[in-house]
Amino acid sequence: MMHLWEDLTDFKRAPIYRSGKKSYSDIIYAFDIEVSSLFNINGSWQRFDDTITDYRDIEKVAVPYIWMFGIEDQVYYGRNLRDFADVLEHISNPLLTKFVYIHNASYEFQFLRTIFEERGWTVNDLIARENRSPIAWKIEELNIIFRCTLHLTGLKLEKAAERYTSIEKKTVDLDYNKERSPLTYLSDQELGYCEYDILCVYEIVKYFREKYKHLKRIPLTSTSEMRRAYQNTVPGYHYKMVKRNIPDVVRWKLLNASFQGGLTHPNIIHANQHLYEPVGSHDESSAYPYHMCLPVYPQGPFFEIDTSKVWMYPHNRWCVIYSVRFEGLQSVYYNHYIARSKCRYSTDCAWDNGRLIGGSWVEFPGITDIDMDIIMDAYKPKKVIIYRAFVSRKGYLPGYYIRFVLDLYSDKTTLKGIPDRADEYNSKKSLLNSCFGACCTSVIKSTIAYNNNDWEPIKKLTDEIIEEKLEEERAKNNPLFVYAHGVYITAASRRSLWENIVAPGMDE
C-alpha cells in the first residue's frame, strides 16, 4: 500500500559503505512518474486518436499526474511533481551519498531538470551515451546520485522484473490513453499499478546489491558488468596488445565507416504483402558468440598498401578495408544488400526501402573485405575502382577471450531451465549478451555536455577532436577491447545471415 509523501520517513540508521574518505548509503531509493500524453489536434489538446496515421507534425505534450518514491519496499506518492524536490531535500545528507534508481532515467530527467533549475541545484558528473539520454547524474547540493536501471539491465521493466525478481510488472491496470492530471481521481487499482513499478525497481536493484554487496559497486550498465568480469581473466600483456591496435584518425574513420548492423530487410517481391499460406522460418542461435570464437580477425594494426597490389593480400589470409567506388551496379537477387546510409551514390540509383537495386555508381569511404565479397556476389558491377586499401593479417581472437565467451555460453546452456538456478542463468546470459556490445563500442563518441541546466549542441567530430580522444584512449591503463574486432565480428555475422537469406532461392 502506498502512502502520501507527507508521511515519508527515511531510515535513520542506514547501512553504510565507506570507500576512501567518502561514505555511501546502501538504502535503495527508487523513483518513477506516470504521465498523460496529449496531442494538439485541430487546436484542441486530445488523447491519442488511432484514426490519425501520421503524428509527425502534431504538437505533443506529456503531463505528469503522479510520482512515486520508494525507500526500500516502502512506497510513497504525490500528485504535484514539484513536491518531489522537498522529498529530495528531506533525505539528503552532505556526509552520506545516496542513490536513487529510475527505470529509463532519460525520460524522467526531462521533467526533473525543471525542478532542479527551479531550486538552483547543480547537475554534475552526468554520464550519457546520447544527447538527452543520461545514464547517471549527481545533484551536487544534495549529494544524491541518480542511476538508470534500464541501462543496468538492458531490458524493459516487465522483462527485467521477470528476470531478476519474483514479481511481475502489471501491464493491464492502467489505461494510457485516458486523460489525467494531478487533480484526477485514481482508483485503488490504478494506484496499485503505480506502486508495482516502484517495487519492481526495488527488487531489481536489491538483486544487484546482493550480488555486488554494496550499491556503490553496482556497475552503471550491463556492458560495464561484463567488462568487470572479463578484466579479471585477462593477462597483463593484454593491455599492451589493445593499445597497439588503437588506430590513428584515418584508420578509425575507415573502421567507423565500415561498421554496419545486421540484415532485417524483406525480399522485395513479398514486401508489403499479407502471406496467408504456411510460412516457415529459420533462426540462427547464438550467432554473435559463435562468430566471436570461430572466424579469424585482424591480428594487428592496419597498414596501407598500394592499391595495385591488392591481389597479393587474399581475403582468406588478410583483413582488408577498402575505400572503393562501384560503377554500373545491378542486383542479381530480389534481396538487396547495399544500404543507402552507408554510401555515397548517383542520383539515378533505384532503391528498395533504403537498399540499392541498381544505379550508375556508389562509393564507400570504408568497407571490409567481407562486405566486398558479399557485394561482388549480390551485384554485378561493370567497374570497381579502389582508392585506398589497408590490411591486417588474419588470426583468431585471444585464447583467454574465447575461453571467457565459451565458459559463459556453457554456463548459460547448462543452467537453462533449472528453476533454483534461475539467477545464475540470467546473470550468465546477460554477461554473454554484453560480450558483443563491448567489442563493437567505438572508442570515439561525440562529446555530450550538460551545463547550466541545458544540453549543449553536439560538436561535430573533427579530426582534431578524434585525435584528442584517441590519445585519451592510449593513455588509459587498462583498455579492454579492440574496435576492429567488433567491426569484423559484425561483418562475419552479417555474411552468415546473408548466405542463409539467399540460399533458398530467388523467390524465398
Side-chain angles (χ1 to χ4, degrees), residues 5 10 36 346:
W5 72 271
D10 197 7
S36 276
S346 59

Side-chain angles (χ1 to χ4, degrees), residues 217-424:
R217 297 170 63 181
I218 297 175
L220 291 179
T221 67
S222 55
T223 302
S224 299
E225 188 179 12
M226 189 280 301
R227 287 175 181 270
R228 196 176 292 180
Y230 179 51
Q231 195 161 20
N232 293 329
T233 70
V234 303
Y237 62 82
H238 171 79
Y239 305 116
K240 185 178 292 186
M241 181 275 292
V242 175
K243 286 188 177 184
R244 187 168 62 91
N245 280 277
I246 295 175
D248 61 10
V249 174
V250 171
R251 287 161 180 78
W252 179 84
K253 291 169 76 172
L254 283 168
L255 286 168
N256 195 55
S258 301
F259 182 82
Q260 299 185 46
L263 295 170
T264 58
H265 204 268
N267 184 316
I268 192 172
I269 64 175
H270 295 311
N272 300 315
Q273 295 183 25
H274 292 283
L275 304 179
Y276 296 101
E277 67 273 14
V279 177
S281 64
H282 173 72
D283 186 30
E284 287 187 318
S285 178
S286 302
Y288 283 129
Y290 169 84
H291 286 100
M292 284 186 275
C293 296
L294 267 296
V296 286
Y297 298 115
Q299 287 298 289
F302 282 83
F303 60 91
E304 189 167 12
I305 60 171
D306 189 324
T307 56
S308 66
K309 297 179 180 179
V310 165
W311 62 271
M312 298 173 61
Y313 298 88
H315 293 174
N316 64 330
R317 288 191 290 135
W318 293 88
C319 293
V320 188
I321 294 182
Y322 298 92
S323 290
V324 61
R325 175 186 177 106
F326 298 97
E327 295 186 350
L329 293 92
Q330 184 61 45
S331 176
V332 299
Y333 298 110
Y334 290 123
N335 287 287
H336 304 120
Y337 185 77
I338 294 177
R340 175 162 46 191
S341 61
K342 302 302 296 185
C343 64
R344 297 185 288 267
Y345 47 85
S346 59
T347 56
D348 64 349
C349 284
W351 300 97
D352 162 24
N353 194 25
R355 297 279 173 167
L356 180 71
I357 300 173
S360 296
W361 60 266
V362 296
E363 286 184 353
F364 291 88
I367 61 169
T368 67
D369 53 281
I370 294 173
D371 290 297
M372 173 71 91
D373 290 342
I374 295 174
I375 290 172
M376 295 303 291
D377 171 67
Y379 300 85
K380 295 302 177 186
K382 295 179 179 178
K383 190 175 184 180
V384 179
I385 305 171
I386 299 173
Y387 299 124
R388 301 183 78 175
F390 294 77
V391 301
S392 174
R393 188 176 291 276
K394 285 186 174 180
Y396 291 104
L397 295 181
Y400 47 85
Y401 178 76
I402 293 175
R403 284 191 295 272
F404 179 74
V405 174
L406 290 177
D407 286 345
L408 288 176
Y409 183 77
S410 176
D411 291 343
K412 187 200 80 162
T413 53
T414 303
L415 296 169
K416 187 175 183 178
I418 303 176
D420 58 349
R421 306 287 296 277
D423 285 351
E424 282 185 80

Side-chain angles (χ1 to χ4, degrees), residues 43 69 194 469:
F69 185 69
C194 298
K469 290 178 177 289

